[in-house]
Amino acid sequence: MRVSGVVRLLSLIFAMVATWIFFRSYMSFSMKTVRLPRWLGSAPKETRVVHTKCSNSKPCPANFFAFKIFSGAANVVGPTLCFEDLVIMSPVKNNVGRGLNIALVNGSTGTMLRHSSFDMYSGDPQPLVKFLKEIPAGALVLVASYDDPGTKMNDELRKLFSDLGSSYAKQLGFRDSWVFLGAQDIKNKSPFEQLDTNSRNRHLTK
């Protein structure tokens, strides 16, 4: 029994020594050799959100005004006029109306001067004529349609908008979607204008 016990003890010691030699020869536990995968060890990068005026896709260059104009969607969603990060008119502000929604802005300082909406379906067009004729020199004019901008659009109004730089005022029709930024005493046609013609009007003009 004693011989058997000694053999077992020697076998255990041999196994422990062999294991120790193996780990020492083929594996290093030095902290210098321990490497965690980068996706485990790296700290999350800080995401920086860049704020742009009027939530534009990119910031405007220096010395340029930022603006965004949305026309209304049929007679369901009202238009939005934003200038230099100030929402001037919108459904949230509850200050938009059927027809044409117009805001005047000082072209030098960017200060909002006045805004109003004009019913171009069943309203009187004369208040809009008066409004356009009283636009001060150097003012910028932001326009967004809602539902119907064309039914009450007479020749005098079309000329006044054309004088502000519009290329589409002369063809504006029933329930067209129109956005426009013009200016008093502008020399050329404004590059900031879009017109989406009502499908019914396209059919009638064929």
CSV table of all heavy atoms in Angstrom, one decimal, residues 81-140:
chain,number,residue,atom,x,y,z
A,81,LEU,N,-43.6,78.3,-43.2
A,81,LEU,CA,-42.6,79.2,-43.7
A,81,LEU,C,-41.6,79.5,-42.5
A,81,LEU,O,-42.0,79.9,-41.4
A,81,LEU,CB,-43.3,80.5,-44.1
A,81,LEU,CG,-44.1,80.6,-45.3
A,81,LEU,CD1,-45.5,80.0,-45.1
A,81,LEU,CD2,-44.2,82.0,-45.9
A,82,CYS,N,-40.3,79.1,-42.8
A,82,CYS,CA,-39.3,79.3,-41.8
A,82,CYS,C,-38.2,80.2,-42.4
A,82,CYS,O,-37.8,80.0,-43.6
A,82,CYS,CB,-38.7,78.0,-41.4
A,82,CYS,SG,-37.3,78.0,-40.2
A,83,PHE,N,-37.7,81.1,-41.6
A,83,PHE,CA,-36.6,82.0,-42.0
A,83,PHE,C,-35.6,82.2,-40.9
A,83,PHE,O,-36.0,82.7,-39.8
A,83,PHE,CB,-37.2,83.4,-42.5
A,83,PHE,CG,-36.2,84.2,-43.3
A,83,PHE,CD1,-36.1,84.1,-44.6
A,83,PHE,CD2,-35.4,85.2,-42.6
A,83,PHE,CE1,-35.2,84.9,-45.3
A,83,PHE,CE2,-34.5,85.9,-43.3
A,83,PHE,CZ,-34.4,85.8,-44.7
A,84,GLU,N,-34.4,81.9,-41.2
A,84,GLU,CA,-33.3,82.1,-40.1
A,84,GLU,C,-33.7,81.4,-38.8
A,84,GLU,O,-33.5,81.9,-37.7
A,84,GLU,CB,-33.0,83.6,-39.9
A,84,GLU,CG,-32.1,84.2,-40.9
A,84,GLU,CD,-30.7,83.6,-40.9
A,84,GLU,OE1,-29.9,84.0,-40.1
A,84,GLU,OE2,-30.4,82.7,-41.8
A,85,ASP,N,-34.2,80.2,-39.0
A,85,ASP,CA,-34.5,79.3,-37.9
A,85,ASP,C,-35.8,79.8,-37.1
A,85,ASP,O,-36.1,79.2,-36.0
A,85,ASP,CB,-33.4,79.1,-36.9
A,85,ASP,CG,-33.2,77.7,-36.4
A,85,ASP,OD1,-33.7,76.8,-37.1
A,85,ASP,OD2,-32.6,77.5,-35.4
A,86,LEU,N,-36.5,80.8,-37.6
A,86,LEU,CA,-37.7,81.2,-37.0
A,86,LEU,C,-38.9,80.7,-37.8
A,86,LEU,O,-39.0,81.1,-39.0
A,86,LEU,CB,-37.7,82.8,-36.9
A,86,LEU,CG,-39.1,83.4,-36.5
A,86,LEU,CD1,-39.4,83.0,-35.0
A,86,LEU,CD2,-39.0,84.9,-36.7
A,87,VAL,N,-39.7,79.9,-37.2
A,87,VAL,CA,-40.9,79.5,-37.9
A,87,VAL,C,-41.9,80.6,-37.9
A,87,VAL,O,-42.5,80.9,-36.8
A,87,VAL,CB,-41.5,78.2,-37.3
A,87,VAL,CG1,-42.8,77.8,-38.0
A,87,VAL,CG2,-40.5,77.1,-37.4
A,88,ILE,N,-42.2,81.2,-39.0
A,88,ILE,CA,-43.1,82.4,-39.1
A,88,ILE,C,-44.5,82.0,-39.1
A,88,ILE,O,-45.4,82.5,-38.4
A,88,ILE,CB,-42.7,83.3,-40.3
A,88,ILE,CG1,-41.2,83.7,-40.2
A,88,ILE,CG2,-43.6,84.5,-40.3
A,88,ILE,CD1,-40.8,84.5,-41.4
A,89,MET,N,-44.8,81.0,-40.0
A,89,MET,CA,-46.2,80.5,-40.2
A,89,MET,C,-46.2,79.0,-40.2
A,89,MET,O,-45.3,78.4,-40.9
A,89,MET,CB,-46.8,81.1,-41.4
A,89,MET,CG,-46.8,82.6,-41.5
A,89,MET,SD,-47.6,83.3,-43.0
A,89,MET,CE,-49.3,83.0,-42.6
A,90,SER,N,-47.1,78.4,-39.6
A,90,SER,CA,-47.2,76.9,-39.6
A,90,SER,C,-48.5,76.5,-39.0
A,90,SER,O,-49.2,77.2,-38.3
A,90,SER,CB,-46.1,76.3,-38.9
A,90,SER,OG,-46.2,76.4,-37.5
A,91,PRO,N,-48.9,75.2,-39.3
A,91,PRO,CA,-50.2,74.7,-38.6
A,91,PRO,C,-50.0,74.7,-37.1
A,91,PRO,O,-51.0,74.9,-36.4
A,91,PRO,CB,-50.3,73.3,-39.2
A,91,PRO,CG,-49.5,73.3,-40.5
A,91,PRO,CD,-48.4,74.3,-40.3
A,92,VAL,N,-48.8,74.4,-36.6
A,92,VAL,CA,-48.6,74.4,-35.2
A,92,VAL,C,-48.9,75.8,-34.6
A,92,VAL,O,-49.5,75.9,-33.5
A,92,VAL,CB,-47.2,73.9,-34.8
A,92,VAL,CG1,-46.9,74.0,-33.3
A,92,VAL,CG2,-46.9,72.5,-35.3
A,93,LYS,N,-48.5,76.8,-35.2
A,93,LYS,CA,-48.7,78.2,-34.7
A,93,LYS,C,-50.2,78.6,-35.0
A,93,LYS,O,-50.6,79.6,-34.5
A,93,LYS,CB,-47.8,79.2,-35.4
A,93,LYS,CG,-46.4,79.1,-34.9
A,93,LYS,CD,-45.5,80.1,-35.7
A,93,LYS,CE,-44.2,80.3,-35.0
A,93,LYS,NZ,-44.2,81.0,-33.7
A,94,ASN,N,-50.9,77.8,-35.8
A,94,ASN,CA,-52.3,78.1,-36.1
A,94,ASN,C,-52.5,79.5,-36.7
A,94,ASN,O,-53.4,80.2,-36.4
A,94,ASN,CB,-53.2,77.9,-34.8
A,94,ASN,CG,-54.6,77.8,-35.1
A,94,ASN,OD1,-55.0,77.3,-36.1
A,94,ASN,ND2,-55.5,78.3,-34.2
A,95,ASN,N,-51.6,79.8,-37.6
A,95,ASN,CA,-51.7,81.1,-38.2
A,95,ASN,C,-51.6,81.0,-39.8
A,95,ASN,O,-51.2,82.0,-40.4
A,95,ASN,CB,-50.6,82.1,-37.7
A,95,ASN,CG,-49.2,81.6,-38.0
A,95,ASN,OD1,-49.0,80.5,-38.5
A,95,ASN,ND2,-48.2,82.4,-37.7
A,96,VAL,N,-52.0,79.9,-40.3
A,96,VAL,CA,-52.1,79.7,-41.8
A,96,VAL,C,-53.5,79.6,-42.2
A,96,VAL,O,-54.4,79.3,-41.4
A,96,VAL,CB,-51.3,78.5,-42.2
A,96,VAL,CG1,-49.8,78.6,-41.9
A,96,VAL,CG2,-51.8,77.2,-41.6
A,97,GLY,N,-53.8,79.9,-43.5
A,97,GLY,CA,-55.1,79.8,-44.0
A,97,GLY,C,-55.2,79.3,-45.4
A,97,GLY,O,-54.2,79.3,-46.1
A,98,ARG,N,-56.4,79.0,-45.9
A,98,ARG,CA,-56.6,78.6,-47.3
A,98,ARG,C,-56.2,79.7,-48.2
A,98,ARG,O,-56.6,80.8,-48.0
A,98,ARG,CB,-58.0,78.1,-47.5
A,98,ARG,CG,-58.3,77.7,-48.9
A,98,ARG,CD,-59.8,77.2,-49.0
A,98,ARG,NE,-60.7,78.3,-48.8
A,98,ARG,CZ,-62.1,78.1,-48.9
A,98,ARG,NH1,-62.6,76.9,-49.2
A,98,ARG,NH2,-62.9,79.1,-48.7
A,99,GLY,N,-55.5,79.3,-49.3
A,99,GLY,CA,-55.1,80.3,-50.3
A,99,GLY,C,-53.7,80.5,-50.3
A,99,GLY,O,-52.9,79.6,-50.6
A,100,LEU,N,-53.2,81.8,-50.1
A,100,LEU,CA,-51.8,82.1,-50.1
A,100,LEU,C,-51.4,82.6,-48.7
A,100,LEU,O,-52.1,83.5,-48.1
A,100,LEU,CB,-51.5,83.2,-51.1
A,100,LEU,CG,-51.7,82.8,-52.6
A,100,LEU,CD1,-51.5,84.0,-53.5
A,100,LEU,CD2,-50.7,81.7,-52.9
A,101,ASN,N,-50.3,82.1,-48.2
A,101,ASN,CA,-49.7,82.5,-47.0
A,101,ASN,C,-48.4,83.2,-47.3
A,101,ASN,O,-47.5,82.7,-47.9
A,101,ASN,CB,-49.5,81.3,-46.1
A,101,ASN,CG,-50.8,80.6,-45.7
A,101,ASN,OD1,-51.4,80.9,-44.7
A,101,ASN,ND2,-51.2,79.7,-46.6
A,102,ILE,N,-48.3,84.5,-46.8
A,102,ILE,CA,-47.2,85.3,-47.2
A,102,ILE,C,-46.6,86.0,-46.0
A,102,ILE,O,-47.2,86.5,-45.1
A,102,ILE,CB,-47.7,86.4,-48.2
A,102,ILE,CG1,-48.4,85.8,-49.4
A,102,ILE,CG2,-46.5,87.3,-48.6
A,102,ILE,CD1,-49.0,86.8,-50.3
A,103,ALA,N,-45.2,86.0,-46.0
A,103,ALA,CA,-44.5,86.6,-44.9
A,103,ALA,C,-43.5,87.6,-45.6
A,103,ALA,O,-42.9,87.3,-46.6
A,103,ALA,CB,-43.7,85.6,-44.1
A,104,LEU,N,-43.3,88.7,-44.9
A,104,LEU,CA,-42.3,89.7,-45.4
A,104,LEU,C,-41.2,89.8,-44.4
A,104,LEU,O,-41.4,89.8,-43.2
A,104,LEU,CB,-43.0,91.1,-45.5
A,104,LEU,CG,-44.2,91.2,-46.4
A,104,LEU,CD1,-44.7,92.7,-46.5
A,104,LEU,CD2,-43.9,90.7,-47.8
A,105,VAL,N,-40.0,89.8,-44.9
A,105,VAL,CA,-38.8,89.8,-44.1
A,105,VAL,C,-37.8,90.9,-44.6
A,105,VAL,O,-37.7,91.2,-45.8
A,105,VAL,CB,-38.0,88.5,-44.2
A,105,VAL,CG1,-36.7,88.5,-43.4
A,105,VAL,CG2,-38.9,87.4,-43.7
A,106,ASN,N,-37.2,91.6,-43.7
A,106,ASN,CA,-36.2,92.7,-44.0
A,106,ASN,C,-35.0,92.0,-44.7
A,106,ASN,O,-34.4,91.1,-44.2
A,106,ASN,CB,-35.8,93.4,-42.8
A,106,ASN,CG,-34.9,94.6,-43.1
A,106,ASN,OD1,-33.8,94.4,-43.7
A,106,ASN,ND2,-35.3,95.8,-42.6
A,107,GLY,N,-34.8,92.4,-45.9
A,107,GLY,CA,-33.7,91.8,-46.7
A,107,GLY,C,-32.3,92.1,-46.3
A,107,GLY,O,-31.4,91.4,-46.7
A,108,SER,N,-32.1,93.0,-45.4
A,108,SER,CA,-30.8,93.4,-44.9
A,108,SER,C,-30.5,92.7,-43.5
A,108,SER,O,-29.5,92.2,-43.2
A,108,SER,CB,-30.6,94.9,-44.7
A,108,SER,OG,-30.8,95.5,-46.0
A,109,THR,N,-31.5,92.8,-42.6
A,109,THR,CA,-31.3,92.3,-41.2
A,109,THR,C,-31.9,90.9,-41.0
A,109,THR,O,-31.6,90.2,-40.0
A,109,THR,CB,-32.0,93.3,-40.3
A,109,THR,OG1,-33.4,93.3,-40.5
A,109,THR,CG2,-31.4,94.7,-40.4
A,110,GLY,N,-32.9,90.5,-41.9
A,110,GLY,CA,-33.5,89.2,-41.7
A,110,GLY,C,-34.7,89.3,-40.7
A,110,GLY,O,-35.2,88.2,-40.3
A,111,THR,N,-35.0,90.5,-40.3
A,111,THR,CA,-36.1,90.6,-39.3
A,111,THR,C,-37.5,90.4,-39.9
A,111,THR,O,-37.7,90.9,-41.1
A,111,THR,CB,-36.0,92.0,-38.6
A,111,THR,OG1,-34.7,92.2,-38.1
A,111,THR,CG2,-37.1,92.2,-37.6
A,112,MET,N,-38.3,89.7,-39.3
A,112,MET,CA,-39.7,89.5,-39.8
A,112,MET,C,-40.5,90.8,-39.7
A,112,MET,O,-40.5,91.4,-38.6
A,112,MET,CB,-40.4,88.4,-39.1
A,112,MET,CG,-41.6,87.8,-39.8
A,112,MET,SD,-43.1,88.6,-39.6
A,112,MET,CE,-43.4,88.3,-37.8
A,113,LEU,N,-41.1,91.2,-40.8
A,113,LEU,CA,-41.9,92.5,-40.8
A,113,LEU,C,-43.4,92.2,-40.6
A,113,LEU,O,-43.9,92.8,-39.7
A,113,LEU,CB,-41.7,93.2,-42.2
A,113,LEU,CG,-40.2,93.5,-42.5
A,113,LEU,CD1,-40.1,94.1,-43.9
A,113,LEU,CD2,-39.6,94.5,-41.5
A,114,ARG,N,-44.0,91.4,-41.3
A,114,ARG,CA,-45.4,91.1,-41.2
A,114,ARG,C,-45.7,89.8,-41.9
A,114,ARG,O,-45.0,89.4,-42.8
A,114,ARG,CB,-46.3,92.2,-41.6
A,114,ARG,CG,-46.1,92.6,-43.1
A,114,ARG,CD,-47.0,93.8,-43.5
A,114,ARG,NE,-48.4,93.5,-43.3
A,114,ARG,CZ,-49.3,94.2,-43.9
A,114,ARG,NH1,-49.0,95.2,-44.7
A,114,ARG,NH2,-50.6,94.0,-43.8
A,115,HIS,N,-46.9,89.2,-41.6
A,115,HIS,CA,-47.3,88.0,-42.3
A,115,HIS,C,-48.8,88.0,-42.4
A,115,HIS,O,-49.5,88.6,-41.5
A,115,HIS,CB,-46.8,86.7,-41.7
A,115,HIS,CG,-47.2,86.5,-40.3
A,115,HIS,ND1,-48.4,86.0,-40.0
A,115,HIS,CD2,-46.6,86.7,-39.1
A,115,HIS,CE1,-48.6,85.9,-38.7
A,115,HIS,NE2,-47.4,86.3,-38.1
A,116,SER,N,-49.4,87.3,-43.3
A,116,SER,CA,-50.8,87.2,-43.4
A,116,SER,C,-51.2,86.1,-44.4
A,116,SER,O,-50.4,85.6,-45.2
A,116,SER,CB,-51.4,88.6,-43.9
A,116,SER,OG,-52.8,88.5,-43.8
A,117,SER,N,-52.5,85.7,-44.4
A,117,SER,CA,-53.0,84.7,-45.3
A,117,SER,C,-54.2,85.3,-46.0
A,117,SER,O,-54.9,86.2,-45.5
A,117,SER,CB,-53.4,83.4,-44.6
A,117,SER,OG,-54.4,83.7,-43.6
A,118,PHE,N,-54.4,84.8,-47.3
A,118,PHE,CA,-55.4,85.4,-48.1
A,118,PHE,C,-56.2,84.3,-48.8
A,118,PHE,O,-55.6,83.4,-49.5
A,118,PHE,CB,-54.8,86.3,-49.2
A,118,PHE,CG,-54.0,87.4,-48.6
A,118,PHE,CD1,-52.6,87.3,-48.3
A,118,PHE,CD2,-54.6,88.7,-48.3
A,118,PHE,CE1,-51.9,88.3,-47.8
A,118,PHE,CE2,-53.8,89.7,-47.8
A,118,PHE,CZ,-52.5,89.5,-47.5
A,119,ASP,N,-57.5,84.3,-48.6
A,119,ASP,CA,-58.4,83.2,-49.2
A,119,ASP,C,-58.5,83.5,-50.7
A,119,ASP,O,-59.1,84.5,-51.1
A,119,ASP,CB,-59.7,83.3,-48.5
A,119,ASP,CG,-60.6,82.2,-48.9
A,119,ASP,OD1,-60.3,81.5,-49.9
A,119,ASP,OD2,-61.7,81.9,-48.2
A,120,MET,N,-57.9,82.6,-51.4
A,120,MET,CA,-58.0,82.7,-52.9
A,120,MET,C,-59.0,81.9,-53.6
A,120,MET,O,-59.1,81.7,-54.8
A,120,MET,CB,-56.6,82.4,-53.5
A,120,MET,CG,-55.5,83.2,-52.9
A,120,MET,SD,-55.7,85.0,-53.3
A,120,MET,CE,-55.4,85.0,-55.1
A,121,TYR,N,-59.9,81.3,-52.8
A,121,TYR,CA,-61.0,80.5,-53.3
A,121,TYR,C,-62.3,81.3,-53.3
A,121,TYR,O,-63.0,81.4,-54.3
A,121,TYR,CB,-61.2,79.2,-52.6
A,121,TYR,CG,-62.3,78.3,-53.1
A,121,TYR,CD1,-62.2,77.6,-54.3
A,121,TYR,CD2,-63.5,78.2,-52.4
A,121,TYR,CE1,-63.2,76.8,-54.8
A,121,TYR,CE2,-64.5,77.4,-52.8
A,121,TYR,CZ,-64.4,76.7,-54.0
A,121,TYR,OH,-65.4,76.0,-54.5
A,122,SER,N,-62.7,81.8,-52.1
A,122,SER,CA,-63.9,82.5,-52.0
A,122,SER,C,-63.8,83.9,-51.4
A,122,SER,O,-64.7,84.6,-51.1
A,122,SER,CB,-64.9,81.7,-51.1
A,122,SER,OG,-64.4,81.5,-49.8
A,123,GLY,N,-62.5,84.3,-51.2
A,123,GLY,CA,-62.3,85.7,-50.6
A,123,GLY,C,-62.2,86.8,-51.6
A,123,GLY,O,-62.2,86.6,-52.8
A,124,ASP,N,-62.0,88.0,-51.1
A,124,ASP,CA,-61.9,89.2,-51.9
A,124,ASP,C,-60.4,89.3,-52.2
A,124,ASP,O,-59.5,89.4,-51.3
A,124,ASP,CB,-62.4,90.4,-51.2
A,124,ASP,CG,-62.3,91.7,-52.0
A,124,ASP,OD1,-61.8,91.6,-53.1
A,124,ASP,OD2,-62.7,92.7,-51.4
A,125,PRO,N,-60.0,89.4,-53.5
A,125,PRO,CA,-58.5,89.6,-53.8
A,125,PRO,C,-58.0,90.9,-53.5
A,125,PRO,O,-56.7,91.1,-53.5
A,125,PRO,CB,-58.5,89.3,-55.3
A,125,PRO,CG,-59.9,89.6,-55.8
A,125,PRO,CD,-60.8,89.3,-54.7
A,126,GLN,N,-58.8,91.9,-53.3
A,126,GLN,CA,-58.3,93.3,-53.1
A,126,GLN,C,-57.4,93.5,-51.9
A,126,GLN,O,-56.4,94.2,-51.9
A,126,GLN,CB,-59.5,94.3,-53.0
A,126,GLN,CG,-60.1,94.5,-54.4
A,126,GLN,CD,-59.1,94.9,-55.5
A,126,GLN,OE1,-58.3,95.8,-55.3
A,126,GLN,NE2,-59.2,94.2,-56.6
A,127,PRO,N,-57.7,92.8,-50.7
A,127,PRO,CA,-56.7,92.9,-49.6
A,127,PRO,C,-55.3,92.4,-50.0
A,127,PRO,O,-54.3,93.0,-49.5
A,127,PRO,CB,-57.3,92.1,-48.5
A,127,PRO,CG,-58.8,92.1,-48.8
A,127,PRO,CD,-58.9,92.1,-50.3
A,128,LEU,N,-55.2,91.4,-50.8
A,128,LEU,CA,-53.9,90.9,-51.3
A,128,LEU,C,-53.3,91.9,-52.2
A,128,LEU,O,-52.0,92.1,-52.1
A,128,LEU,CB,-54.1,89.5,-52.0
A,128,LEU,CG,-52.8,88.9,-52.5
A,128,LEU,CD1,-51.7,88.8,-51.5
A,128,LEU,CD2,-53.0,87.6,-53.2
A,129,VAL,N,-54.0,92.5,-53.1
A,129,VAL,CA,-53.5,93.6,-54.0
A,129,VAL,C,-52.9,94.7,-53.1
A,129,VAL,O,-51.8,95.1,-53.4
A,129,VAL,CB,-54.6,94.1,-54.9
A,129,VAL,CG1,-54.1,95.3,-55.7
A,129,VAL,CG2,-55.1,93.1,-55.9
A,130,LYS,N,-53.6,95.1,-52.1
A,130,LYS,CA,-53.1,96.2,-51.2
A,130,LYS,C,-51.9,95.8,-50.5
A,130,LYS,O,-50.9,96.5,-50.4
A,130,LYS,CB,-54.2,96.6,-50.3
A,130,LYS,CG,-53.9,97.7,-49.3
A,130,LYS,CD,-55.1,98.1,-48.5
A,130,LYS,CE,-54.8,99.3,-47.6
A,130,LYS,NZ,-53.8,99.0,-46.6
A,131,PHE,N,-51.9,94.5,-50.0
A,131,PHE,CA,-50.7,94.0,-49.3
A,131,PHE,C,-49.5,94.0,-50.2
A,131,PHE,O,-48.4,94.4,-49.7
A,131,PHE,CB,-51.0,92.6,-48.8
A,131,PHE,CG,-50.0,91.9,-48.0
A,131,PHE,CD1,-50.0,92.0,-46.6
A,131,PHE,CD2,-48.9,91.2,-48.6
A,131,PHE,CE1,-49.0,91.4,-45.9
A,131,PHE,CE2,-47.9,90.6,-47.9
A,131,PHE,CZ,-48.0,90.7,-46.5
A,132,LEU,N,-49.6,93.6,-51.4
A,132,LEU,CA,-48.4,93.5,-52.3
A,132,LEU,C,-47.9,94.9,-52.7
A,132,LEU,O,-46.7,95.1,-52.9
A,132,LEU,CB,-48.8,92.6,-53.5
A,132,LEU,CG,-49.1,91.2,-53.3
A,132,LEU,CD1,-49.5,90.5,-54.6
A,132,LEU,CD2,-47.9,90.5,-52.6
A,133,LYS,N,-48.8,95.8,-52.9
A,133,LYS,CA,-48.5,97.1,-53.3
A,133,LYS,C,-47.8,97.9,-52.2
A,133,LYS,O,-47.0,98.9,-52.4
A,133,LYS,CB,-49.7,97.9,-53.8
A,133,LYS,CG,-50.2,97.5,-55.1
A,133,LYS,CD,-51.3,98.4,-55.6
A,133,LYS,CE,-51.8,98.0,-57.0
A,133,LYS,NZ,-52.9,98.8,-57.5
A,134,GLU,N,-48.0,97.5,-50.9
A,134,GLU,CA,-47.4,98.2,-49.8
A,134,GLU,C,-46.1,97.5,-49.3
A,134,GLU,O,-45.6,97.9,-48.2
A,134,GLU,CB,-48.4,98.2,-48.6
A,134,GLU,CG,-49.6,99.1,-49.0
A,134,GLU,CD,-50.6,99.1,-47.9
A,134,GLU,OE1,-50.5,98.3,-46.9
A,134,GLU,OE2,-51.6,99.9,-47.9
A,135,ILE,N,-45.6,96.5,-50.0
A,135,ILE,CA,-44.3,95.9,-49.6
A,135,ILE,C,-43.2,96.9,-49.6
A,135,ILE,O,-43.0,97.6,-50.7
A,135,ILE,CB,-44.0,94.7,-50.6
A,135,ILE,CG1,-45.0,93.6,-50.4
A,135,ILE,CG2,-42.6,94.1,-50.3
A,135,ILE,CD1,-44.8,92.4,-51.4
A,136,PRO,N,-42.5,97.1,-48.6
A,136,PRO,CA,-41.4,98.1,-48.5
A,136,PRO,C,-40.2,97.7,-49.4
A,136,PRO,O,-40.0,96.5,-49.7
A,136,PRO,CB,-41.0,98.1,-47.0
A,136,PRO,CG,-41.4,96.8,-46.5
A,136,PRO,CD,-42.6,96.4,-47.3
A,137,ALA,N,-39.5,98.7,-49.8
A,137,ALA,CA,-38.3,98.4,-50.6
A,137,ALA,C,-37.3,97.5,-49.9
A,137,ALA,O,-37.1,97.7,-48.7
A,137,ALA,CB,-37.6,99.7,-51.1
A,138,GLY,N,-36.7,96.6,-50.6
A,138,GLY,CA,-35.7,95.7,-50.0
A,138,GLY,C,-36.2,94.6,-49.2
A,138,GLY,O,-35.4,93.8,-48.6
A,139,ALA,N,-37.5,94.4,-49.2
A,139,ALA,CA,-38.1,93.3,-48.4
A,139,ALA,C,-38.1,92.0,-49.2
A,139,ALA,O,-38.3,92.0,-50.4
A,139,ALA,CB,-39.6,93.7,-48.0
A,140,LEU,N,-37.9,90.9,-48.5
A,140,LEU,CA,-38.1,89.6,-49.1
A,140,LEU,C,-39.5,89.1,-48.9
A,140,LEU,O,-40.1,89.3,-47.9
A,140,LEU,CB,-37.1,88.6,-48.5
A,140,LEU,CG,-35.6,89.0,-48.6
A,140,LEU,CD1,-34.8,87.9,-47.9
A,140,LEU,CD2,-35.2,89.1,-50.0
